[in-house]
Amino acid sequence: MRLLLGRRARLRWLHLIVGGALLMPYFLVGTVIVGSYSSDANVFSSPVNQFTAFAFALPMAAVTGLFPLARPLSVSAARTLCDIPAQVLADGLARTWQARIRTAGWFTLHVALGGVISGLTLALTPFAVAVMMLPFVTSVRESPAMGLPAALDRPWLVATAPLAGLAMLVAMAGCAAAAAAVLAGRAPVLLGPTPDDRLAAAERRAADLAVRNRLARELHDSVGHALSAVTLQAGAARRVLDSDPDFVREALTAIEETTRRTIGELDAVLGLLRRGEDEAQGPALDALDGLLAHCGVPVAYTAQGTPELVPRAVSREAYRIVQEGLSNALRHGGSGTRVELRIAVDERGLEITMDNPLPGRAAAVRPGGGRGLRGIAERAVLLGGTTRSGPDADGVWRLNARLPLHGRGQEKR
């Protein structure tokens, strides 16, 4: 009985009734078409005319199902009333013809079965109730509307009328449950994602993964550099705390500036989460002087061209590459390591070259890390550029990055 009258069965029955309601405008248009050529003025008095109008209504309903908005509406109703798992149904408008045709098939099936079950419910329910009342109400038993043949007007048959009426209601519930099961079974096929939908979903997941990777790189470069600089500056200040107070004062000032700048960069990274990647802007080459002044190592910086005028996206990535290069120099060489930085801009693109002495055996290496050079390479590849790092013939560690000004995914300014 639960399969026929349980909560899910009742909701699915309601879904079929909604389908019958959606069919009514098309059915009325069908009756007008049938009435235009039928000799019977009252179309509803002829079952043949009614079925003919029903046949005219279904193609019109199918055309309606081709509209893109039909799929999200149908999916919403199916999830709510048919108890269909959300993950098997597609989201969004039906933008391809394959998706539209599937949706049209579902909509036509829904209104067709809904029309039959709605008509059965409206016609059979009062009749079954009247049959159940036959033994108890004489006026019902003698009513011409019942149309009982004389052969059935016997006491023992009348006494079984309540069972007959109940059987009609159960049979109607069974028909509704069967129709609902057909709809629920076809929903994953007709309302499920098409290959194009799956491809679009995979592209969205890839885009989300790219954003998460970008955020991870931003956090690694910004926070990692700040922690490296602050750790080394604090350690150096501790060692000369009693003998060189001027150096300690400078180190504390540098720590203050580094943390303040890092907080601002962290806010920018969090802005990527709050407002979207394209709206939040991180630091770029126009903020390079502040980075070099408080990076924790002496830097000899030379520039060719106008690095401040390169496209913003390239400038942001170049800033992060420089920042990570300085972090590597701090991490492996210590606060006394001297870095030579050269940035050149021409029509071919932007080139970054960083040289620092090879670390000695006694150099302090900060635990952790190991992702900096990989992050630099990823940033360059995303822009269509290249990187190279390692010991050079001059006896220095050299990091070289080449970035096109209008690389992959960049617009010319």
Side-chain angles (χ1 to χ4, degrees):
M1 188 59 68
R2 183 179 179 183
L3 294 176
L4 299 181
L5 298 176
R7 181 179 181 277
R8 186 174 72 170
R10 295 196 303 270
L11 288 176
R12 289 185 173 184
W13 200 335
L14 177 60
H15 185 248
L16 290 168
I17 298 299
V18 170
L22 293 174
L23 178 69
M24 284 307 299
Y26 310 105
F27 181 75
L28 292 176
V29 174
T31 60
V32 172
I33 297 174
V34 173
S36 64
Y37 66 82
S38 175
S39 58
D40 191 349
N42 187 2
V43 176
F44 292 96
S45 64
S46 171
V48 174
N49 288 341
Q50 292 183 37
F51 280 109
T52 305
F54 182 77
F56 277 115
L58 294 183
M60 290 185 285
V63 172
T64 303
L66 293 175
F67 287 92
L69 190 59
R71 186 170 75 172
L73 295 176
S74 298
V75 166
S76 178
R79 285 174 175 169
T80 304
L81 299 177
C82 288
D83 192 26
I84 299 174
Q87 62 271 18
V88 303
L89 302 180
D91 292 314
L93 301 176
R95 301 190 181 277
T96 64
W97 277 107
Q98 183 183 20
R100 294 182 185 184
I101 292 173
R102 290 186 180 186
T103 305
W106 164 268
F107 187 73
T108 306
L109 183 63
H110 181 202
V111 298
L113 294 178
V116 173
I117 297 301
S118 297
L120 190 63
T121 302
L122 292 174
L124 190 58
T125 300
F127 180 77
V129 172
V131 170
M132 296 172 69
M133 295 172 60
L134 287 178
F136 313 106
V137 183
T138 304
S139 59
V140 174
R141 188 166 60 250
E142 296 176 352
S143 172
M146 291 298 296
L148 292 177
L152 296 179
D153 191 13
R154 298 181 181 180
W156 68 272
L157 288 176
V158 173
T160 60
L163 294 177
L166 181 61
M168 294 178 190
L169 294 178
V170 172
M172 180 177 62
C175 292
V182 171
L183 270 179
R186 303 313 299 169
V189 177
L190 299 178
L191 293 181
T194 64
D196 290 332
D197 293 326
R198 293 189 179 93
L199 179 60
E203 291 175 348
R204 288 193 297 270
R205 288 193 295 271
D208 292 340
L209 181 60
V211 170
R212 289 197 295 270
N213 288 337
R214 174 178 172 80
L215 292 176
R217 289 195 303 269
E218 294 287 340
L219 288 172
H220 173 270
D221 292 350
S222 178
V223 179
H225 169 80
L227 290 177
S228 296
V230 167
T231 300
L232 291 170
Q233 289 164 348
R238 178 179 56 81
R239 287 192 293 270
V240 297
L241 181 61
D242 298 325
S243 60
D244 194 350
D246 291 336
F247 177 82
V248 173
R249 189 178 296 109
E250 293 177 1
L252 292 176
T253 301
I255 290 173
E256 180 184 1
E257 293 295 331
T258 300
T259 53
R260 182 183 294 114
R261 185 183 68 252
T262 303
I263 290 174
E265 294 178 4
L266 184 59
D267 286 340
V269 174
L270 294 178
L272 295 172
L273 289 172
R274 291 191 297 266
R275 298 184 298 274
E277 185 179 9
D278 294 333
E279 297 180 22
Q281 300 293 329
L285 289 178
D286 52 10
L288 192 59
D289 291 340
L291 174 65
L292 299 181
H294 304 286
C295 65
V297 295
V299 180
Y301 171 47
T302 58
Q304 298 177 2
T306 53
E308 295 81 6
L309 299 181
V310 302
R312 187 71 181 180
V314 179
S315 184
R316 289 199 308 267
E317 301 303 324
Y319 178 94
R320 292 303 190 191
I321 290 174
V322 172
Q323 187 180 53
E324 182 56 36
L326 294 173
S327 295
N328 285 338
L330 266 172
R331 185 180 302 123
H332 298 290
S335 58
T337 300
R338 180 176 178 82
V339 177
E340 294 184 5
L341 171 64
R342 298 183 297 278
I343 297 180
V345 179
D346 55 26
E347 66 277 0
R348 294 175 297 175
L350 182 147
E351 182 177 4
I352 301 171
T353 304
M354 298 183 67
D355 293 340
N356 59 273
L358 291 172
R361 294 184 179 180
V365 179
R366 180 176 64 86
R371 299 180 181 272
L373 295 178
R374 184 188 305 173
I376 290 175
E378 290 175 353
R379 291 179 183 277
V381 168
L382 287 176
L383 295 177
T386 60
T387 61
R388 184 179 62 84
S389 60
D392 192 75
D394 298 333
V396 298
W397 178 275
R398 175 163 295 172
L399 169 65
N400 181 269
R402 297 176 181 268
L403 306 178
L405 297 184
H406 307 289
R408 210 162 17 196
Q410 305 302 320
E411 296 180 356
K412 295 185 178 181
R413 294 178 53 180

